[in-house]
Amino acid sequence: MLTLRRFMALADSFGADLQRWPAESQKEARALLESSADARAVLAQARRLDEAIGAAHRLEEAALWLPGEPDAALARLRSGVAARIAPATPGRPRSVRGQLGWAFSGGSGLLAGPLGWATASGFAIAAGLLIGSLSGTPPASDGLLTLFQTGMQFFAG
Amino acid sequence: MKAGYAARSWPEVTWGVLASQVAGAGSLYMSTPRPYREADDDELVSWSAAGDRRAFDEIVTRHGPFAWRVASRIVPDRLAAEDIVQEAMVRAWHQAGHFDPARARFRTWLYRILVNLCVDQRRRVQLEPVTEGFDAADPSPGAEEVLAASERDVALAAALRELPARQRAAMALVYDEGLSGTEAARVLGVSAKALERLLARARATLRERIQAEHSREDL
């Protein structure tokens, strides 16, 4: 049984619109309204406050929502959220070894295997000779030529 | 593996590698699109938890306007409200795997994240009193309504904005968004009785403000 005291408390909280009231109280509230002038007076007072709040609310809405603002706000929200939940793109700098991994990789890399160091030495000497010939500077001494010839004999077997 | 690659042309191999990487990237790239618009919230959250960003975009589209309305009423700073809504959505994305539809509706769950962020923000930022600074001659759209409004409405709008955050949240959820008392209480993490008290205190404050305005007009 809904008492007038409880009716007043509910009106103080939820206002005059019985749809907002707890579902289990709505039927009894309607019954009380039919039988009690005090209940009707309470609801009329609550309705006046509701109307004032409604007017203030509309004023707030007018200041808050500019024309087209909801659509623009939703577009900003979607793009902002999409950017923040996008999978992380690792931008970490790759190591030199990582960038030249093809040359050093596992057992199938170009410089792997039993002849790896010999191959590397050959590349190094060949590169040195190429740079030397391009620079146009004559060898500093016959000793370098001797070293090259020794190296070539080594690779020839 | 090597033999398999060798038996195929290089475009086939390249496409095979790309396809396997794409398949591993999540259901976003599935060949058969999911019925996002027809799906209910629980399905969308479930797909989101599995990494489907398109499903989560549907959630953002569906609940974004409501979330922004609620946030902008609790946090008067419009830009701050937008930031909070975005943060709430991102948190929902990261916590989607923890959502249990047996325990709460998705809207309740999302609003709870949102309202908690709003209340925290209001606690951090001390609001300036808006009564003195309320510019009735603001030339922005909506100014006509401001000019036409009675002083009582202006004062009451200011009083609404100055309500404590949880009272304002309760008002926004029940009065503006039409949530039931039970659902609003769940969002705020309080009992139904506590929600009634929040609403009653808010209305009492607003009633006092109206009476003060009437007294001022009578002088």
Short mmCIF file of all heavy atoms in Angstrom, two decimals, chain B residues 64-126:
data_model
loop_
_atom_site.label_atom_id
_atom_site.label_comp_id
_atom_site.label_asym_id
_atom_site.label_seq_id
_atom_site.Cartn_x
_atom_site.Cartn_y
_atom_site.Cartn_z
N GLY B 64 27.21 6.83 -29.33
CA GLY B 64 27.96 8.08 -29.22
C GLY B 64 27.09 9.29 -28.88
O GLY B 64 27.40 10.04 -27.95
N PRO B 65 25.99 9.50 -29.63
CA PRO B 65 25.16 10.69 -29.35
C PRO B 65 24.61 10.71 -27.92
O PRO B 65 24.61 11.75 -27.26
CB PRO B 65 24.03 10.58 -30.37
CG PRO B 65 24.61 9.79 -31.49
CD PRO B 65 25.53 8.79 -30.84
N PHE B 66 24.14 9.56 -27.43
CA PHE B 66 23.64 9.50 -26.06
C PHE B 66 24.76 9.79 -25.07
O PHE B 66 24.57 10.54 -24.11
CB PHE B 66 23.04 8.11 -25.77
CG PHE B 66 21.87 7.77 -26.63
CD1 PHE B 66 22.02 6.99 -27.76
CD2 PHE B 66 20.60 8.23 -26.31
CE1 PHE B 66 20.94 6.68 -28.56
CE2 PHE B 66 19.51 7.91 -27.10
CZ PHE B 66 19.68 7.14 -28.23
N ALA B 67 25.89 9.17 -25.34
CA ALA B 67 27.03 9.35 -24.43
C ALA B 67 27.44 10.81 -24.37
O ALA B 67 27.71 11.36 -23.29
CB ALA B 67 28.20 8.48 -24.88
N TRP B 68 27.44 11.46 -25.52
CA TRP B 68 27.87 12.86 -25.54
C TRP B 68 26.86 13.75 -24.83
O TRP B 68 27.22 14.69 -24.14
CB TRP B 68 28.11 13.33 -26.98
CG TRP B 68 28.89 14.59 -27.03
CD1 TRP B 68 30.10 14.83 -26.43
CD2 TRP B 68 28.52 15.80 -27.65
NE1 TRP B 68 30.51 16.11 -26.66
CE2 TRP B 68 29.55 16.74 -27.41
CE3 TRP B 68 27.41 16.21 -28.41
CZ2 TRP B 68 29.51 18.04 -27.90
CZ3 TRP B 68 27.38 17.50 -28.89
CH2 TRP B 68 28.42 18.40 -28.64
N ARG B 69 25.57 13.44 -25.01
CA ARG B 69 24.54 14.24 -24.33
C ARG B 69 24.69 14.14 -22.82
O ARG B 69 24.64 15.14 -22.10
CB ARG B 69 23.15 13.78 -24.74
CG ARG B 69 22.65 14.37 -26.03
CD ARG B 69 21.14 14.48 -26.04
NE ARG B 69 20.49 13.22 -25.74
CZ ARG B 69 20.17 12.31 -26.67
NH1 ARG B 69 20.45 12.55 -27.92
NH2 ARG B 69 19.56 11.20 -26.33
N VAL B 70 24.88 12.91 -22.34
CA VAL B 70 25.02 12.72 -20.89
C VAL B 70 26.28 13.43 -20.39
O VAL B 70 26.24 14.18 -19.40
CB VAL B 70 25.07 11.22 -20.54
CG1 VAL B 70 25.45 11.01 -19.09
CG2 VAL B 70 23.72 10.56 -20.83
N ALA B 71 27.38 13.22 -21.09
CA ALA B 71 28.66 13.80 -20.64
C ALA B 71 28.60 15.32 -20.64
O ALA B 71 29.08 15.97 -19.71
CB ALA B 71 29.79 13.32 -21.53
N SER B 72 27.97 15.90 -21.66
CA SER B 72 27.97 17.36 -21.75
C SER B 72 27.04 17.99 -20.71
O SER B 72 27.16 19.18 -20.43
CB SER B 72 27.57 17.81 -23.17
OG SER B 72 26.32 17.29 -23.49
N ARG B 73 26.14 17.20 -20.15
CA ARG B 73 25.31 17.74 -19.06
C ARG B 73 26.04 17.67 -17.73
O ARG B 73 25.86 18.54 -16.88
CB ARG B 73 23.99 16.98 -18.98
CG ARG B 73 23.08 17.37 -20.12
CD ARG B 73 21.71 16.78 -19.98
NE ARG B 73 20.96 17.06 -21.18
CZ ARG B 73 20.53 16.16 -22.04
NH1 ARG B 73 20.75 14.89 -21.82
NH2 ARG B 73 19.86 16.51 -23.11
N ILE B 74 26.85 16.64 -17.57
CA ILE B 74 27.57 16.51 -16.29
C ILE B 74 28.82 17.40 -16.30
O ILE B 74 29.18 18.01 -15.30
CB ILE B 74 27.96 15.05 -16.03
CG1 ILE B 74 26.72 14.15 -16.07
CG2 ILE B 74 28.66 14.90 -14.68
CD1 ILE B 74 27.03 12.67 -16.05
N VAL B 75 29.47 17.45 -17.46
CA VAL B 75 30.68 18.26 -17.60
C VAL B 75 30.38 19.40 -18.58
O VAL B 75 30.31 19.18 -19.78
CB VAL B 75 31.84 17.40 -18.15
CG1 VAL B 75 33.09 18.23 -18.33
CG2 VAL B 75 32.10 16.23 -17.23
N PRO B 76 30.15 20.60 -18.08
CA PRO B 76 29.71 21.68 -18.95
C PRO B 76 30.71 22.07 -20.04
O PRO B 76 30.31 22.60 -21.07
CB PRO B 76 29.49 22.85 -17.99
CG PRO B 76 29.29 22.22 -16.66
CD PRO B 76 30.15 21.00 -16.66
N ASP B 77 31.98 21.83 -19.83
CA ASP B 77 32.98 22.15 -20.84
C ASP B 77 32.82 21.18 -22.01
O ASP B 77 33.08 19.98 -21.89
CB ASP B 77 34.38 22.03 -20.23
CG ASP B 77 35.47 22.39 -21.22
OD1 ASP B 77 35.23 22.29 -22.45
OD2 ASP B 77 36.57 22.77 -20.78
N ARG B 78 32.40 21.72 -23.15
CA ARG B 78 32.06 20.87 -24.28
C ARG B 78 33.24 20.02 -24.76
O ARG B 78 33.10 18.84 -25.06
CB ARG B 78 31.54 21.74 -25.42
CG ARG B 78 31.01 20.99 -26.60
CD ARG B 78 30.68 21.91 -27.72
NE ARG B 78 29.84 23.02 -27.26
CZ ARG B 78 28.96 23.62 -28.03
NH1 ARG B 78 28.82 23.24 -29.27
NH2 ARG B 78 28.24 24.61 -27.58
N LEU B 79 34.40 20.67 -24.87
CA LEU B 79 35.57 19.93 -25.35
C LEU B 79 35.99 18.84 -24.37
O LEU B 79 36.35 17.73 -24.77
CB LEU B 79 36.74 20.89 -25.60
CG LEU B 79 36.52 21.87 -26.76
CD1 LEU B 79 37.71 22.80 -26.89
CD2 LEU B 79 36.29 21.12 -28.07
N ALA B 80 35.91 19.19 -23.09
CA ALA B 80 36.23 18.18 -22.07
C ALA B 80 35.26 17.01 -22.15
O ALA B 80 35.65 15.84 -22.01
CB ALA B 80 36.21 18.80 -20.68
N ALA B 81 33.98 17.33 -22.39
CA ALA B 81 32.97 16.27 -22.51
C ALA B 81 33.29 15.36 -23.69
O ALA B 81 33.16 14.14 -23.60
CB ALA B 81 31.59 16.89 -22.66
N GLU B 82 33.70 15.95 -24.81
CA GLU B 82 34.06 15.13 -25.98
C GLU B 82 35.23 14.22 -25.67
O GLU B 82 35.24 13.05 -26.04
CB GLU B 82 34.42 16.04 -27.16
CG GLU B 82 33.21 16.53 -27.93
CD GLU B 82 33.57 17.04 -29.31
OE1 GLU B 82 34.26 16.34 -30.07
OE2 GLU B 82 33.15 18.16 -29.63
N ASP B 83 36.21 14.77 -24.99
CA ASP B 83 37.38 13.96 -24.63
C ASP B 83 36.97 12.79 -23.74
O ASP B 83 37.47 11.67 -23.88
CB ASP B 83 38.43 14.81 -23.90
CG ASP B 83 39.16 15.73 -24.85
OD1 ASP B 83 39.06 15.52 -26.08
OD2 ASP B 83 39.82 16.68 -24.38
N ILE B 84 36.07 13.08 -22.81
CA ILE B 84 35.64 12.02 -21.89
C ILE B 84 34.88 10.92 -22.62
O ILE B 84 35.09 9.74 -22.36
CB ILE B 84 34.79 12.64 -20.75
CG1 ILE B 84 35.70 13.43 -19.81
CG2 ILE B 84 34.01 11.58 -20.01
CD1 ILE B 84 34.95 14.28 -18.81
N VAL B 85 34.03 11.31 -23.55
CA VAL B 85 33.28 10.30 -24.31
C VAL B 85 34.25 9.42 -25.10
O VAL B 85 34.13 8.19 -25.12
CB VAL B 85 32.26 10.96 -25.25
CG1 VAL B 85 31.63 9.92 -26.16
CG2 VAL B 85 31.18 11.68 -24.46
N GLN B 86 35.23 10.07 -25.71
CA GLN B 86 36.21 9.30 -26.48
C GLN B 86 36.98 8.33 -25.56
O GLN B 86 37.18 7.16 -25.89
CB GLN B 86 37.19 10.24 -27.19
CG GLN B 86 38.09 9.52 -28.16
CD GLN B 86 39.12 10.42 -28.79
OE1 GLN B 86 40.30 10.32 -28.50
NE2 GLN B 86 38.68 11.34 -29.64
N GLU B 87 37.37 8.84 -24.41
CA GLU B 87 38.10 8.00 -23.46
C GLU B 87 37.23 6.83 -22.99
O GLU B 87 37.71 5.70 -22.87
CB GLU B 87 38.55 8.85 -22.26
CG GLU B 87 39.29 8.08 -21.18
CD GLU B 87 40.60 7.47 -21.67
OE1 GLU B 87 41.19 8.02 -22.62
OE2 GLU B 87 41.01 6.44 -21.11
N ALA B 88 35.96 7.12 -22.74
CA ALA B 88 35.04 6.06 -22.30
C ALA B 88 34.92 4.98 -23.37
O ALA B 88 34.92 3.78 -23.08
CB ALA B 88 33.67 6.64 -21.97
N MET B 89 34.82 5.41 -24.63
CA MET B 89 34.70 4.43 -25.72
C MET B 89 35.97 3.60 -25.85
O MET B 89 35.90 2.38 -26.05
CB MET B 89 34.42 5.16 -27.05
CG MET B 89 33.05 5.80 -27.11
SD MET B 89 31.74 4.54 -27.12
CE MET B 89 30.29 5.56 -27.38
N VAL B 90 37.11 4.24 -25.74
CA VAL B 90 38.37 3.50 -25.86
C VAL B 90 38.49 2.49 -24.72
O VAL B 90 38.92 1.36 -24.92
CB VAL B 90 39.57 4.47 -25.90
CG1 VAL B 90 40.89 3.71 -25.79
CG2 VAL B 90 39.55 5.29 -27.18
N ARG B 91 38.08 2.91 -23.51
CA ARG B 91 38.11 1.97 -22.39
C ARG B 91 37.16 0.81 -22.62
O ARG B 91 37.47 -0.34 -22.29
CB ARG B 91 37.76 2.70 -21.09
CG ARG B 91 38.87 3.60 -20.62
CD ARG B 91 38.65 4.07 -19.22
NE ARG B 91 39.66 5.07 -18.87
CZ ARG B 91 39.87 5.52 -17.65
NH1 ARG B 91 39.14 5.06 -16.65
NH2 ARG B 91 40.79 6.42 -17.42
N ALA B 92 35.99 1.13 -23.18
CA ALA B 92 35.03 0.06 -23.47
C ALA B 92 35.63 -0.93 -24.47
O ALA B 92 35.43 -2.15 -24.35
CB ALA B 92 33.73 0.66 -24.02
N TRP B 93 36.35 -0.42 -25.46
CA TRP B 93 37.00 -1.29 -26.44
C TRP B 93 38.00 -2.23 -25.73
O TRP B 93 37.99 -3.43 -25.97
CB TRP B 93 37.71 -0.44 -27.48
CG TRP B 93 38.76 -1.14 -28.28
CD1 TRP B 93 40.12 -1.12 -28.08
CD2 TRP B 93 38.57 -2.00 -29.42
NE1 TRP B 93 40.75 -1.90 -29.02
CE2 TRP B 93 39.83 -2.46 -29.85
CE3 TRP B 93 37.43 -2.44 -30.12
CZ2 TRP B 93 40.01 -3.31 -30.93
CZ3 TRP B 93 37.61 -3.30 -31.20
CH2 TRP B 93 38.88 -3.71 -31.60
N HIS B 94 38.82 -1.65 -24.89
CA HIS B 94 39.84 -2.46 -24.23
C HIS B 94 39.23 -3.44 -23.21
O HIS B 94 39.81 -4.49 -22.95
CB HIS B 94 40.86 -1.56 -23.53
CG HIS B 94 41.76 -0.86 -24.51
ND1 HIS B 94 42.57 -1.53 -25.39
CD2 HIS B 94 41.98 0.46 -24.75
CE1 HIS B 94 43.24 -0.68 -26.13
NE2 HIS B 94 42.90 0.54 -25.76
N GLN B 95 38.09 -3.08 -22.64
CA GLN B 95 37.48 -3.94 -21.62
C GLN B 95 36.34 -4.79 -22.18
O GLN B 95 35.62 -5.44 -21.42
CB GLN B 95 36.95 -3.07 -20.47
CG GLN B 95 38.05 -2.31 -19.74
CD GLN B 95 37.50 -1.31 -18.73
OE1 GLN B 95 36.35 -1.40 -18.33
NE2 GLN B 95 38.32 -0.35 -18.35
N ALA B 96 36.17 -4.77 -23.50
CA ALA B 96 35.03 -5.48 -24.10
C ALA B 96 35.03 -6.96 -23.72
O ALA B 96 33.97 -7.56 -23.55
CB ALA B 96 35.06 -5.32 -25.62
N GLY B 97 36.20 -7.53 -23.57
CA GLY B 97 36.28 -8.94 -23.20
C GLY B 97 35.77 -9.22 -21.81
O GLY B 97 35.46 -10.37 -21.47
N HIS B 98 35.68 -8.19 -20.99
CA HIS B 98 35.20 -8.39 -19.61
C HIS B 98 33.70 -8.16 -19.47
O HIS B 98 33.14 -8.37 -18.40
CB HIS B 98 35.93 -7.42 -18.65
CG HIS B 98 37.41 -7.63 -18.64
ND1 HIS B 98 38.00 -8.78 -18.19
CD2 HIS B 98 38.43 -6.83 -19.04
CE1 HIS B 98 39.31 -8.69 -18.31
NE2 HIS B 98 39.60 -7.51 -18.83
N PHE B 99 33.08 -7.66 -20.55
CA PHE B 99 31.64 -7.39 -20.46
C PHE B 99 30.86 -8.70 -20.40
O PHE B 99 31.09 -9.60 -21.21
CB PHE B 99 31.18 -6.57 -21.68
CG PHE B 99 29.69 -6.45 -21.77
CD1 PHE B 99 28.99 -5.70 -20.84
CD2 PHE B 99 28.98 -7.12 -22.77
CE1 PHE B 99 27.61 -5.59 -20.91
CE2 PHE B 99 27.61 -7.02 -22.85
CZ PHE B 99 26.92 -6.26 -21.92
N ASP B 100 29.95 -8.77 -19.43
CA ASP B 100 29.14 -9.97 -19.26
C ASP B 100 27.67 -9.60 -19.45
O ASP B 100 27.06 -8.98 -18.58
CB ASP B 100 29.36 -10.55 -17.85
CG ASP B 100 28.55 -11.82 -17.62
OD1 ASP B 100 27.85 -12.25 -18.55
OD2 ASP B 100 28.64 -12.37 -16.51
N PRO B 101 27.09 -9.99 -20.59
CA PRO B 101 25.69 -9.61 -20.84
C PRO B 101 24.71 -10.21 -19.84
O PRO B 101 23.58 -9.73 -19.73
CB PRO B 101 25.42 -10.13 -22.26
CG PRO B 101 26.49 -11.13 -22.53
CD PRO B 101 27.66 -10.76 -21.69
N ALA B 102 25.14 -11.23 -19.12
CA ALA B 102 24.24 -11.82 -18.11
C ALA B 102 24.14 -10.93 -16.88
O ALA B 102 23.19 -11.05 -16.11
CB ALA B 102 24.77 -13.20 -17.71
N ARG B 103 25.10 -10.05 -16.72
CA ARG B 103 25.10 -9.21 -15.51
C ARG B 103 24.55 -7.81 -15.75
O ARG B 103 24.06 -7.17 -14.82
CB ARG B 103 26.53 -9.09 -14.97
CG ARG B 103 27.08 -10.41 -14.48
CD ARG B 103 28.46 -10.25 -13.91
NE ARG B 103 28.47 -9.34 -12.76
CZ ARG B 103 29.58 -8.88 -12.21
NH1 ARG B 103 30.75 -9.21 -12.69
NH2 ARG B 103 29.52 -8.08 -11.17
N ALA B 104 24.66 -7.29 -16.95
CA ALA B 104 24.19 -5.93 -17.20
C ALA B 104 23.94 -5.72 -18.68
O ALA B 104 24.49 -6.44 -19.53
CB ALA B 104 25.24 -4.92 -16.72
N ARG B 105 23.09 -4.74 -18.98
CA ARG B 105 22.92 -4.34 -20.38
C ARG B 105 24.17 -3.57 -20.79
O ARG B 105 24.82 -2.92 -19.97
CB ARG B 105 21.69 -3.44 -20.52
CG ARG B 105 20.39 -4.14 -20.26
CD ARG B 105 19.25 -3.15 -20.22
NE ARG B 105 19.07 -2.48 -21.51
CZ ARG B 105 18.28 -1.43 -21.69
NH1 ARG B 105 17.61 -0.92 -20.67
NH2 ARG B 105 18.15 -0.88 -22.88
N PHE B 106 24.47 -3.63 -22.10
CA PHE B 106 25.66 -2.94 -22.56
C PHE B 106 25.57 -1.45 -22.28
O PHE B 106 26.54 -0.82 -21.86
CB PHE B 106 25.88 -3.17 -24.06
CG PHE B 106 27.01 -2.32 -24.59
CD1 PHE B 106 28.33 -2.64 -24.30
CD2 PHE B 106 26.76 -1.18 -25.33
CE1 PHE B 106 29.37 -1.86 -24.75
CE2 PHE B 106 27.80 -0.39 -25.79
CZ PHE B 106 29.10 -0.73 -25.50
N ARG B 107 24.39 -0.85 -22.51
CA ARG B 107 24.24 0.59 -22.29
C ARG B 107 24.55 0.95 -20.84
O ARG B 107 25.23 1.94 -20.57
CB ARG B 107 22.80 1.01 -22.65
CG ARG B 107 22.59 2.51 -22.58
CD ARG B 107 21.21 2.90 -23.04
NE ARG B 107 20.17 2.53 -22.07
CZ ARG B 107 18.95 3.05 -22.06
NH1 ARG B 107 18.61 3.94 -22.98
NH2 ARG B 107 18.07 2.69 -21.17
N THR B 108 24.06 0.14 -19.93
CA THR B 108 24.32 0.39 -18.51
C THR B 108 25.82 0.33 -18.23
O THR B 108 26.38 1.18 -17.53
CB THR B 108 23.59 -0.64 -17.64
OG1 THR B 108 22.22 -0.66 -18.00
CG2 THR B 108 23.74 -0.33 -16.17
N TRP B 109 26.45 -0.69 -18.80
CA TRP B 109 27.88 -0.90 -18.61
C TRP B 109 28.69 0.28 -19.17
O TRP B 109 29.59 0.82 -18.52
CB TRP B 109 28.27 -2.20 -19.30
CG TRP B 109 29.67 -2.64 -19.15
CD1 TRP B 109 30.26 -3.19 -18.05
CD2 TRP B 109 30.70 -2.60 -20.15
NE1 TRP B 109 31.58 -3.49 -18.31
CE2 TRP B 109 31.86 -3.15 -19.59
CE3 TRP B 109 30.73 -2.16 -21.48
CZ2 TRP B 109 33.06 -3.27 -20.30
CZ3 TRP B 109 31.91 -2.28 -22.19
CH2 TRP B 109 33.06 -2.83 -21.60
N LEU B 110 28.31 0.72 -20.38
CA LEU B 110 29.02 1.84 -21.02
C LEU B 110 28.79 3.14 -20.24
O LEU B 110 29.72 3.91 -20.00
CB LEU B 110 28.54 2.01 -22.46
CG LEU B 110 29.11 3.19 -23.24
CD1 LEU B 110 30.63 3.05 -23.42
CD2 LEU B 110 28.44 3.35 -24.60
N TYR B 111 27.52 3.38 -19.85
CA TYR B 111 27.22 4.61 -19.11
C TYR B 111 27.96 4.65 -17.78
O TYR B 111 28.32 5.72 -17.30
CB TYR B 111 25.71 4.71 -18.87
CG TYR B 111 24.93 5.27 -20.03
CD1 TYR B 111 25.51 5.44 -21.27
CD2 TYR B 111 23.60 5.63 -19.89
CE1 TYR B 111 24.80 5.95 -22.34
CE2 TYR B 111 22.87 6.15 -20.95
CZ TYR B 111 23.48 6.30 -22.17
OH TYR B 111 22.76 6.81 -23.22
N ARG B 112 28.16 3.48 -17.21
CA ARG B 112 28.87 3.46 -15.93
C ARG B 112 30.32 3.92 -16.11
O ARG B 112 30.82 4.71 -15.33
CB ARG B 112 28.83 2.05 -15.33
CG ARG B 112 29.40 2.02 -13.95
CD ARG B 112 29.01 0.77 -13.21
NE ARG B 112 29.35 0.90 -11.80
CZ ARG B 112 29.02 0.04 -10.87
NH1 ARG B 112 28.29 -0.99 -11.17
NH2 ARG B 112 29.37 0.23 -9.62
N ILE B 113 30.96 3.43 -17.16
CA ILE B 113 32.32 3.89 -17.47
C ILE B 113 32.30 5.39 -17.70
O ILE B 113 33.12 6.14 -17.16
CB ILE B 113 32.86 3.17 -18.73
CG1 ILE B 113 32.99 1.67 -18.48
CG2 ILE B 113 34.20 3.76 -19.16
CD1 ILE B 113 33.35 0.86 -19.74
N LEU B 114 31.35 5.83 -18.50
CA LEU B 114 31.27 7.25 -18.88
C LEU B 114 31.02 8.15 -17.67
O LEU B 114 31.71 9.16 -17.46
CB LEU B 114 30.14 7.43 -19.90
CG LEU B 114 29.86 8.85 -20.35
CD1 LEU B 114 30.96 9.32 -21.29
CD2 LEU B 114 28.51 8.93 -21.05
N VAL B 115 30.01 7.79 -16.87
CA VAL B 115 29.63 8.64 -15.74
C VAL B 115 30.76 8.70 -14.70
O VAL B 115 31.03 9.76 -14.13
CB VAL B 115 28.30 8.17 -15.12
CG1 VAL B 115 28.03 8.88 -13.81
CG2 VAL B 115 27.16 8.43 -16.09
N ASN B 116 31.43 7.58 -14.50
CA ASN B 116 32.56 7.60 -13.57
C ASN B 116 33.64 8.56 -14.04
O ASN B 116 34.22 9.30 -13.24
CB ASN B 116 33.15 6.20 -13.41
CG ASN B 116 32.33 5.33 -12.48
OD1 ASN B 116 31.60 5.85 -11.63
ND2 ASN B 116 32.41 4.03 -12.62
N LEU B 117 33.91 8.57 -15.34
CA LEU B 117 34.91 9.50 -15.88
C LEU B 117 34.45 10.95 -15.70
O LEU B 117 35.25 11.82 -15.37
CB LEU B 117 35.16 9.21 -17.36
CG LEU B 117 35.99 7.96 -17.68
CD1 LEU B 117 35.95 7.66 -19.18
CD2 LEU B 117 37.43 8.15 -17.24
N CYS B 118 33.16 11.18 -15.94
CA CYS B 118 32.62 12.55 -15.80
C CYS B 118 32.73 13.02 -14.35
O CYS B 118 33.13 14.17 -14.10
CB CYS B 118 31.16 12.59 -16.24
SG CYS B 118 30.91 12.38 -18.00
N VAL B 119 32.34 12.16 -13.43
CA VAL B 119 32.39 12.54 -12.01
C VAL B 119 33.84 12.81 -11.59
O VAL B 119 34.12 13.78 -10.89
CB VAL B 119 31.74 11.45 -11.14
CG1 VAL B 119 31.96 11.72 -9.66
CG2 VAL B 119 30.24 11.36 -11.44
N ASP B 120 34.75 11.96 -12.05
CA ASP B 120 36.17 12.18 -11.73
C ASP B 120 36.65 13.52 -12.28
O ASP B 120 37.39 14.24 -11.62
CB ASP B 120 37.03 11.05 -12.32
CG ASP B 120 36.85 9.75 -11.56
OD1 ASP B 120 36.27 9.78 -10.46
OD2 ASP B 120 37.28 8.70 -12.08
N GLN B 121 36.22 13.81 -13.51
CA GLN B 121 36.66 15.07 -14.12
C GLN B 121 36.13 16.27 -13.33
O GLN B 121 36.84 17.24 -13.12
CB GLN B 121 36.18 15.12 -15.58
CG GLN B 121 36.98 16.08 -16.46
CD GLN B 121 36.43 17.49 -16.45
OE1 GLN B 121 35.36 17.74 -15.87
NE2 GLN B 121 37.14 18.42 -17.07
N ARG B 122 34.87 16.19 -12.91
CA ARG B 122 34.29 17.30 -12.14
C ARG B 122 35.00 17.47 -10.80
O ARG B 122 35.11 18.59 -10.29
CB ARG B 122 32.80 17.03 -11.89
CG ARG B 122 31.91 17.37 -13.07
CD ARG B 122 31.57 18.86 -13.13
NE ARG B 122 30.87 19.31 -11.95
CZ ARG B 122 29.55 19.39 -11.82
NH1 ARG B 122 28.78 19.03 -12.83
NH2 ARG B 122 29.01 19.83 -10.71
N ARG B 123 35.47 16.35 -10.24
CA ARG B 123 36.19 16.45 -8.97
C ARG B 123 37.54 17.12 -9.18
O ARG B 123 38.03 17.82 -8.30
CB ARG B 123 36.40 15.05 -8.38
CG ARG B 123 35.17 14.51 -7.71
CD ARG B 123 35.43 13.14 -7.12
NE ARG B 123 34.23 12.58 -6.55
CZ ARG B 123 33.92 11.30 -6.55
NH1 ARG B 123 34.74 10.42 -7.10
NH2 ARG B 123 32.81 10.87 -6.01
N ARG B 124 38.15 16.86 -10.33
CA ARG B 124 39.48 17.43 -10.59
C ARG B 124 39.39 18.92 -10.90
O ARG B 124 40.23 19.70 -10.51
CB ARG B 124 40.14 16.72 -11.77
CG ARG B 124 40.73 15.37 -11.43
CD ARG B 124 41.72 14.96 -12.49
NE ARG B 124 41.14 14.96 -13.82
CZ ARG B 124 40.49 13.93 -14.35
NH1 ARG B 124 40.37 12.83 -13.66
NH2 ARG B 124 39.99 13.98 -15.57
N VAL B 125 38.38 19.28 -11.65
CA VAL B 125 38.27 20.67 -12.11
C VAL B 125 37.24 21.40 -11.26
O VAL B 125 36.10 20.98 -11.17
CB VAL B 125 37.83 20.72 -13.59
CG1 VAL B 125 37.69 22.15 -14.06
CG2 VAL B 125 38.78 19.94 -14.44
N GLN B 126 37.66 22.46 -10.66
CA GLN B 126 36.72 23.26 -9.88
C GLN B 126 35.96 24.16 -10.82
O GLN B 126 36.54 24.99 -11.51
CB GLN B 126 37.45 24.11 -8.85
CG GLN B 126 36.50 24.86 -7.95
CD GLN B 126 37.14 25.27 -6.65
OE1 GLN B 126 38.33 25.09 -6.47
NE2 GLN B 126 36.36 25.83 -5.78
#
